[in-house]
């Protein structure tokens, strides 16, 4: 019995140690760095926050958020107001207000029309969120992307900034001077200008010729490639 109890004690201690190491190895979310011209404490309900005014800047995961004023609730939670710009690498997001949650690395941007610019492409939408860690944006309620003569519209979609890939889902339409396309799912690469449709798609060209396909790739504004 004594030997069994000693073995059980050793097992539990080792198990606790392993679990402790695993938990300790998990990195904590980074604190969101900030600066502003004026900073003052404010009372909000039964807690306090920090009011920031003038040239407000937040920095997290390599992303820079600027605005005219903000409320900083803690090290990782803040609301941004007026002339909000979120910049990560070549991606710029413009809105009237934003809520940033550093625990989830996510900015929710609000404006009558949110504008996202990446080099020569611009996306307009009504509801947009952006993860500053994995550099993925998500829009709902309708979005329109413009690049050169190409125009892509969809009800919802995702933007992968690292490889400049836009995925539109639900009621997708794409137009340029040569083609008009309709589908329910499309991925469009802003560098190659290749659109790939993965569901039943309908295509019209400038001569009013029509075709349909289950899967098709098109390099815009030229011709189908597969």
């Amino acid at each position: 019995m004594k030997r069994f109890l000693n073995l059980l004690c050793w097992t539990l201690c080792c198990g606790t140690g392993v679990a402790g190491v695993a938990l300790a190895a998990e990195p904590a979310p980074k604190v969101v760095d900030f600066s502003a011209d004026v900073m003052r404490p404010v009372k909000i309900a039964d807690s306090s926050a920090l009011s920031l005014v003038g040239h407000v800047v937040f920095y997290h995961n390599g992303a820079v958020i600027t605005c005219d004023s903000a409320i900083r609730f803690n090290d990782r939670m803040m609301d941004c107001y007026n002339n909000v710009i979120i910049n990560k690498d070549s991606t710029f997001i413009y809105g009237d207000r934003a809520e940033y949650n550093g625990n989830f690395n996510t900015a929710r941007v609000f404006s009558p029309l949110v504008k996202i610019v990446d080099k020569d492409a611009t996306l307009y939408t009504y509801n947009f969120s952006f993860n500053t860690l994995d550099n993925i944006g998500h829009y709902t309620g309708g979005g329109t992307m413009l690049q050169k003569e190409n125009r892509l519209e969809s009800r919802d979609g995702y933007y992968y900034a690292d490889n400049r890939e836009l995925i539109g889902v639900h009621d997708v339409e794409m137009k340029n001077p040569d083609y008009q396309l309709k589908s329910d799912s499309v991925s469009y690469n802003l560098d190659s200008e290749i659109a790939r449709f993965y569901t039943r798609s309908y295509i019209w060209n400038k001569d009013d010729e029509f075709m349909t396909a289950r899967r098709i790739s098109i390099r815009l504004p030229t011709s189908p490639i597969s």
Side-chain angles (χ1 to χ4, degrees):
M1 177 63 73
K2 183 177 180 181
R3 181 179 179 184
F4 172 75
L5 291 175
N6 288 338
L7 178 61
L8 178 62
C9 180
W10 181 86
T11 303
L12 290 173
C13 290
C14 289
T16 303
V18 171
V21 170
L23 290 174
E26 185 176 342
K30 296 179 181 178
V31 171
V32 180
D33 296 323
F34 72 100
S35 66
D37 291 343
V38 179
M39 310 179 194
R40 61 170 65 93
V42 292
K43 187 78 172 175
I44 298 179
D46 58 349
S47 62
S48 61
L50 193 63
S51 172
L52 308 175
V53 179
H55 299 98
V56 181
V57 180
F58 294 104
Y59 183 83
H60 198 227
N61 298 326
V64 178
I65 304 173
T66 61
C67 57
D68 292 345
S69 61
I71 298 294
R72 180 179 180 269
F73 299 100
N74 56 45
D75 289 345
R76 300 180 183 90
M77 301 281 291
M78 56 278 310
D79 285 355
C80 308
Y81 303 95
N82 300 322
N83 298 313
V84 176
I85 302 175
I86 302 172
N87 171 230
K88 179 76 179 285
D89 299 325
S90 64
T91 302
F92 292 82
I93 305 163
Y94 301 87
D96 292 338
R97 185 172 70 86
E99 298 173 355
Y100 190 71
N101 187 326
N103 292 311
F104 298 103
N105 309 297
T106 301
R108 297 178 60 205
V109 186
F110 304 91
S111 184
L113 196 61
V114 181
K115 180 181 178 181
I116 303 95
V117 178
D118 189 344
K119 298 180 181 177
D120 62 346
T122 303
L123 171 66
Y124 296 96
T125 186
Y126 302 104
N127 305 289
F128 190 76
S129 63
F130 184 73
N131 188 300
T132 61
L133 187 62
D134 59 26
N135 304 325
I136 298 175
H138 178 218
Y139 65 88
T140 60
T144 300
M145 185 281 303
L146 304 172
Q147 184 191 35
K148 301 175 184 176
E149 294 182 305
N150 300 326
R151 178 189 184 100
L152 186 152
E153 299 178 355
S154 64
R155 192 198 317 163
D156 308 302
Y158 298 86
Y159 183 60
Y160 294 81
D162 286 345
N163 56 5
R164 303 190 74 218
E165 192 91 12
L166 180 70
I167 297 180
V169 293
H170 305 132
D171 303 325
V172 182
E173 293 189 21
M174 197 159 191
K175 300 178 182 178
N176 69 18
D178 294 328
Y179 285 94
Q180 178 178 348
L181 310 98
K182 292 186 178 182
S183 186
D184 205 52
S185 176
V186 62
S187 67
Y188 176 72
N189 187 276
L190 301 179
D191 289 325
S192 66
E193 297 184 41
I194 293 178
R196 290 185 168 87
F197 294 78
Y198 299 103
T199 58
R200 174 67 67 180
S201 305
Y202 306 91
I203 305 101
W204 296 263
N205 66 12
K206 59 184 178 181
D207 299 321
D208 288 332
E209 296 173 328
F210 172 79
M211 69 172 290
T212 181
R214 290 187 180 275
R215 294 173 63 93
I216 189 170
S217 296
I218 294 179
R219 179 177 288 113
L220 301 171
T222 53
S223 59
I225 60 175
S226 65

